Amino acid sequence: MTTEAVASSAPPGGDHHHDSGHHGPEFLAHHFDTPVQQFDAAKLGMWLFLAQEVLFFSGLFVAYAVFRNWYPAAFSVGSHLLDWRMGALNTVVLLLSSFTAAMAVRSSQQGNQKQTSTYLIITIVCAFAFMVVKYFEYSHKIHVGILPGSLWNPTAEGLEEVKAAAATSYVGEGLPYHIRTFFGIYFVMTGLHGIHVLVGIGVFIWILKRNMRGEFTREHFTAVDISALYWHLVDLIWIYLFPLLYLID
Amino acid sequence: MAGEHTDLNYLNHERGIKSWLLTLDHKRIGIMYLVSVMIAFALGGVMALLVRTELAFKGETMMEADTYNQVFTLHGAIMVFLFIIPSVPAALGNFFLPIMLGAKDVAFPKLNLASYYIYVLGTIFTIVAILVGHVDTGWTFYTPYSARADSSVVWMTMGVFILGFSSILTGVNFVATVHKMRAPGLVWTRLPLFIWGIYATAVIQVLATPVLAITLFLLAMEKVLTIGIFDPQLGGDPVLFQHFFWFYSHPAVYIMILPGMAVVNELIATFSQRKIFGYMFVAMSSVALALLGFLVWGHHMFTSGMSEYATMVFSALTFLVAIPSGVKVFNWVATLYQGSISLASPMLYALGFIALFTIGGLTGLFLGTLSVDIHLHDTYFVVAHFHYVMVGGTVFGFLGGIHYWWPKMTGRMYNETTARWAFALVFTGFNVTFFSQFVMGSQGMPRRYYDYLDQFQPLHMTSSGGAYILGVGFLVMTVMFIQSLRSGAQAPANPWASAGYEWQTTSPPHPHNFAVDPEMTRGPYDYHLCTDEELFDGLRAPEEPAAEHAA
Ligand SMILES: [Cu+2]
């Protein structure tokens, strides 16, 4: 008659490791068996997080679809109030940053620490540039009172802009009431996207610091890889936002 | 150092408050969640008793209508967001998922601790909203009222928004853990059904919760920036809010019930000493429920002004949900057949679950039927249905799980006689409370009303009486568990003679779950493949399990 189940016949010693000796490199956390397992888990985790992000933004896209369908004229005029050149510039900037983020992963895989830093810095600079452009767009809209919902209160200059925008849109004349709904959606969508860009900047600065400390090697570049994944999603969302908001006929 | 302990376990290998608050051990995080959700449960329970006390008599009994509106809102919001959603997954799931996988921890231990603190932060926001504010929207926060009501609604929705991220991160962690951390030999077809249930839940948590998050974010923006998405005065659409809300909150019902079912699988197998009948069907029915759950949200809005074609589609899809639910109940009953059944307290909860969930599920079909729903919508029938599923289902599963795993988590046994008395009180109290609500609802008593017609007096009185019996039951249970912690007998490794993997380690478990890395050579319900040693319950000589109740 035994007194304990098999697995519970614990060696009473203070050794925290199970089968001491076989545990791998320093970066391998205690609960993983192999670096590959650790890498795969992190990558899967990031993909799941990205799925979550897509659904988070999906609500906004549904709201966009509903209201564009309800108020096509307002969306047309609202879109013409946005400067497509600014949007296009930001699109190019983000695409470039996505490319450099991917290159950062590549050079980190090759163990090229210096090159990784360079690419990361370019990525961060691009992200900043994006936010600067966004800042000019936002501050102008706020300045002329083109704001969402009951905050809608255009100045004389703002009204001129609205009239000009209406003239270039298919609406021609008149001032669709629901432009304010368009700007509600515009500010929320681009605002949330902007917050994601800011988070991305923070993440890449952190990654850059770690890279300069030499934490990443040919065998261990997980953090660079999954941060770039996140950044591609932020880029991808903008790829949808740009035409949907700036390029309505 | 832990060297001097001969019975090293996760409770004694480190000491002090810091070793708890900063722990990365999934077991300790599970315990912290358990304590937190129990506090929330007690708080929500007090709110429920206040609601039932007010409704015991016609007219004003103890609070004004305005206060009453706040109290039922708090009851709903606390119970749903602070208690039920994190209850089984975050508390029991955190503790047992890695153990049942034979892993040392979840895939991302730091993220796990972060989820806990995000939960705490969300709770603080919610509590602040309660204390300083005036939230009386109901837990559904329907617009346009919520967009115009007191600004503390923003605090409350931000609290729920934050809680949502705790839930999402837990889901991400669990899905990654199940995929990447299984012990050698633990193929998918050997996965304990508890894991299958928690896994399906985690998938919903990841995919549905962000939609709630964006909904609540938009609601907050509606109040702060008046963006005009939900408020009809600004050209918005209140029905859109309902679509968004229920796109999350119907799947959320599965976030709540699947884990309850997951626990019941383990209870039925252990206390019948038998392999679960139709293992793959039970596993796949969890996945089917998770997927179907995304397609039926419209059944909450049959009277909200959706198109008739849409209502027909949603009604038909809702009926489909009955299939996987039926599969589960059928398989549980089939497992009992010819099993060697022991009526220990956890099993009582499991059997209670089957009975009450069946009633709750079948009355769901009434509500999914278009014509019947027109009559029953927003009556006590809905309230009763919901509570039969959520309390009779999830809470019974949760309580069964706590009783079942108590010896493993704490290393102590509890007083079985008291536990059965508590069960009897809870089961009776629950049915008295909510069966009368089915009757009232079918007679047209509207939900959330402060006052009612004379004809409902006796039934309201009955329902309130039942609530007090329920309350006494929980009190008895609490005393029993506290007594167990103070003076309960030492628990053996496997007191229920279960074949489940988690019972093969010590009680309480080793800091790394198993002293020796396990390798699974059999399924978790393969009683016929177990050695006597594996099924030894520490109380009697190993023998053919329990003769008394054999069919
Ligand atoms: Cu539903």
Side-chain angles (χ1 to χ4, degrees):
Chain A
M1 190 166 58
T2 43
T3 49
E4 288 274 70
V6 189
S8 65
S9 48
D15 186 6
H16 280 254
H17 293 284
H18 299 224
D19 351 55
S20 37
H22 94 289
H23 220 72
E26 206 183 320
F27 62 80
L28 184 62
H30 86 280
H31 58 296
F32 288 110
D33 292 329
T34 61
V36 174
Q37 185 192 23
Q38 179 167 329
F39 176 76
D40 285 353
K43 198 129 184 185
L44 177 64
M46 187 39 107
W47 277 109
L48 289 162
F49 183 77
L50 295 187
Q52 178 279 133
E53 288 282 3
V54 168
L55 277 141
F56 184 72
F57 276 94
S58 72
L60 294 172
F61 285 104
V62 170
Y64 173 91
V66 168
F67 290 106
R68 181 165 171 189
N69 196 28
W70 279 19
Y71 311 125
F75 271 61
S76 177
V77 177
S79 177
H80 280 87
L81 274 165
L82 301 176
D83 189 343
W84 68 269
R85 281 160 300 197
M86 296 270 216
L89 174 63
N90 261 350
T91 308
V92 173
V93 165
L94 269 196
L95 277 175
L96 176 64
S97 75
S98 228
F99 172 73
T100 53
M103 290 310 285
V105 177
R106 194 182 130 88
S107 47
S108 137
Q109 274 169 345
Q110 291 167 340
N112 194 335
Q113 189 192 347
K114 264 206 179 131
Q115 211 175 47
T116 308
S117 288
T118 315
Y119 281 125
L120 286 172
I121 290 168
I122 300 176
T123 309
I124 295 166
V125 169
C126 285
F128 264 115
F130 178 91
M131 289 314 290
V132 169
V133 173
K134 211 73 227 145
Y135 167 79
F136 282 117
E137 285 188 276
Y138 267 34
S139 58
H140 179 70
K141 289 281 172 294
I142 294 166
H143 178 68
V144 297
I146 294 182
L147 292 168
S150 57
L151 302 176
W152 173 267
N153 186 22
T155 58
E157 190 191 346
L159 268 182
E160 281 308 307
E161 282 185 27
V162 176
K163 274 185 200 148
T168 53
S169 78
Y170 81 87
V171 181
E173 267 173 61
L175 212 165
Y177 176 83
H178 293 108
I179 304 182
R180 59 202 74 194
T181 307
F182 173 84
F183 277 97
I185 287 173
Y186 165 79
F187 276 108
V188 172
M189 284 184 120
T190 53
L192 266 184
H193 178 261
I195 291 174
H196 279 79
V197 174
L198 287 178
V199 169
I201 292 175
V203 168
F204 278 123
I205 289 177
W206 175 60
I207 295 292
L208 179 64
K209 266 191 177 165
R210 289 181 59 181
N211 184 57
M212 305 221 281
R213 266 186 261 136
E215 279 184 40
F216 303 120
T217 59
R218 226 184 266 262
E219 289 77 34
H220 178 58
F221 50 87
T222 316
V224 190
D225 196 338
I226 65 174
S227 310
L229 268 183
Y230 167 81
W231 191 248
H232 296 323
L233 184 87
V234 174
D235 188 21
L236 186 69
I237 290 168
W238 179 258
I239 299 287
Y240 281 93
L241 289 183
F242 172 55
L244 286 176
L245 294 170
Y246 288 76
L247 301 182
I248 305 177
D249 199 16
Chain B
M1 284 312 302
E4 53 269 31
H5 294 286
T6 48
D7 53 347
L8 179 71
N9 66 52
Y10 81 100
L11 291 170
N12 67 15
H13 83 121
E14 278 180 310
R15 287 185 192 280
I17 187 79
K18 248 177 95 180
S19 77
W20 278 90
L21 294 181
L22 298 177
T23 183
L24 296 180
D25 181 350
H26 67 98
K27 297 182 285 301
R28 287 186 167 207
I29 294 173
I31 295 290
M32 295 201 291
Y33 264 118
L34 188 61
V35 173
S36 312
V37 299
M38 289 322 276
I39 293 170
F41 185 52
L43 210 66
V46 170
M47 298 291 173
L49 281 179
L50 289 175
V51 167
R52 278 324 312 171
T53 311
E54 172 55 43
L55 291 170
F57 303 97
K58 251 178 73 71
E60 182 175 328
T61 309
M62 60 177 294
M63 60 180 97
E64 289 170 16
D66 197 38
T67 319
Y68 169 81
N69 288 343
Q70 293 181 49
V71 173
F72 81 66
T73 299
L74 297 183
H75 165 68
I78 291 176
M79 285 301 204
V80 170
F81 297 114
L82 296 182
F83 169 64
I84 296 194
I85 289 180
S87 64
V88 178
L92 297 177
N94 242 322
F95 199 106
F96 288 103
L97 183 114
I99 302 185
M100 288 165 116
L101 290 173
K104 295 184 195 94
D105 209 319
V106 292
F108 315 117
K110 283 182 198 150
L111 188 69
N112 200 18
L113 184 66
S115 326
Y116 175 73
Y117 283 108
I118 295 172
Y119 169 83
V120 172
L121 184 70
T123 307
I124 292 171
F125 267 76
T126 313
I127 303 272
V128 167
I130 294 170
L131 292 182
V132 304
H134 182 108
V135 187
D136 57 358
T137 57
W139 73 277
T140 48
F141 306 115
Y142 268 20
T143 53
Y145 180 66
S146 57
R148 296 176 192 166
D150 190 88
S151 64
S152 56
V153 172
V154 175
W155 283 87
M156 187 74 139
T157 51
M158 282 300 106
V160 175
F161 179 88
I162 295 167
L163 288 167
F165 278 96
S166 160
S167 182
I168 291 170
L169 296 178
T170 304
V172 166
N173 218 335
F174 284 3
V175 173
T177 306
V178 173
H179 275 276
K180 299 294 176 199
M181 308 293 285
R182 301 192 309 278
L186 187 51
V187 290
W188 286 86
T189 48
R190 273 183 189 160
L191 226 47
L193 287 164
F194 179 73
I195 304 278
W196 272 108
I198 296 291
Y199 175 76
T201 308
V203 170
I204 314 176
Q205 282 176 297
V206 173
L207 296 183
T209 318
V211 179
L212 176 76
I214 193 67
T215 309
L216 296 175
F217 180 78
L218 286 174
L219 180 61
M221 287 300 110
E222 185 82 44
K223 277 191 77 77
V224 177
L225 294 179
T226 66
I227 51 177
I229 287 183
F230 298 136
D231 191 339
Q233 229 167 36
L234 297 163
D237 181 8
V239 179
L240 185 66
F241 177 85
Q242 295 186 25
H243 277 293
F244 278 5
F245 183 81
W246 290 112
F247 183 85
Y248 164 73
S249 292
H250 187 84
V253 172
Y254 295 100
I255 296 180
M256 305 179 215
I257 191 71
L258 281 172
M261 294 168 159
V263 174
V264 168
N265 290 318
E266 302 299 320
L267 302 183
I268 298 280
T270 294
F271 294 100
S272 309
Q273 295 278 306
R274 196 159 176 269
K275 199 180 172 106
I276 283 276
F277 181 84
Y279 168 92
M280 256 346 249
F281 276 92
V282 180
M284 285 305 136
S285 64
S286 295
V287 178
L289 278 175
L291 299 179
L292 276 176
F294 280 99
L295 306 175
V296 301
W297 77 90
H299 64 214
H300 295 268
M301 304 163 58
F302 287 159
T303 62
S304 300
M306 264 194 313
S307 89
E308 271 175 39
Y309 296 107
T311 57
M312 269 153 45
V313 172
F314 279 124
S315 174
L317 287 169
T318 301
F319 287 134
L320 287 184
V321 172
I323 299 169
S325 314
V327 165
K328 281 197 190 285
V329 173
F330 177 84
N331 283 285
W332 290 329
V333 175
T335 307
L336 294 174
Y337 179 67
Q338 290 203 336
S340 147
I341 296 173
S342 138
L343 291 176
S345 45
M347 183 60 156
L348 294 177
Y349 284 98
L351 297 176
F353 178 105
I354 296 179
L356 302 177
F357 173 74
T358 304
I359 298 175
L362 289 175
T363 49
L365 292 178
F366 290 48
L367 295 167
T369 311
L370 289 174
S371 52
V372 181
D373 185 62
I374 302 299
H375 176 66
L376 294 176
H377 183 83
D378 262 356
T379 66
Y380 269 45
F381 194 90
V382 177
V383 178
H385 154 72
F386 185 73
H387 283 83
Y388 262 83
V389 180
M390 291 294 109
V391 182
T394 309
V395 176
F396 270 61
F398 179 57
L399 293 174
I402 292 184
H403 282 77
Y404 177 55
W405 283 311
W406 184 265
K408 182 60 65 187
M409 292 189 289
T410 64
R412 303 274 182 179
M413 299 305 287
Y414 53 83
N415 186 318
E416 175 67 16
T417 316
T418 323
R420 290 183 192 199
W421 273 107
F423 169 80
L425 287 167
V426 168
F427 187 79
T428 315
F430 171 79
N431 280 291
V432 172
T433 311
F434 292 104
F435 201 81
S436 44
Q437 296 192 7
F438 273 130
V439 181
M440 275 192 274
S442 65
Q443 294 172 355
M445 172 72 210
R447 73 194 280 200
R448 293 181 171 173
Y449 275 33
Y450 174 64
D451 206 356
Y452 45 82
L453 300 174
D454 282 329
Q455 67 177 102
F456 294 117
Q457 175 69 67
L459 284 168
H460 267 299
M461 193 68 204
T462 313
S463 181
S464 297
Y468 276 92
I469 302 178
L470 195 53
V472 171
F474 282 119
L475 217 58
V476 172
M477 194 188 302
T478 311
V479 171
M480 172 201 83
F481 279 135
I482 291 174
Q483 219 164 40
S484 155
L485 285 181
R486 299 176 63 142
S487 58
Q490 285 281 322
N494 190 2
W496 316 114
S498 168
Y501 302 141
E502 75 277 26
W503 298 104
Q504 299 308 315
T505 184
T506 39
S507 302
H510 186 275
H512 287 159
N513 297 341
F514 294 90
V516 179
D517 285 348
E519 190 177 335
M520 311 311 183
T521 52
R522 58 164 176 85
Y525 311 112
D526 288 340
Y527 284 86
H528 59 291
L529 298 179
C530 287
T531 60
D532 287 348
E533 223 170 19
E534 283 177 314
L535 291 182
F536 178 60
D537 64 8
L539 303 171
R540 53 193 149 82
E543 58 182 354
E544 278 304 299
E548 342 59 290
H549 288 290

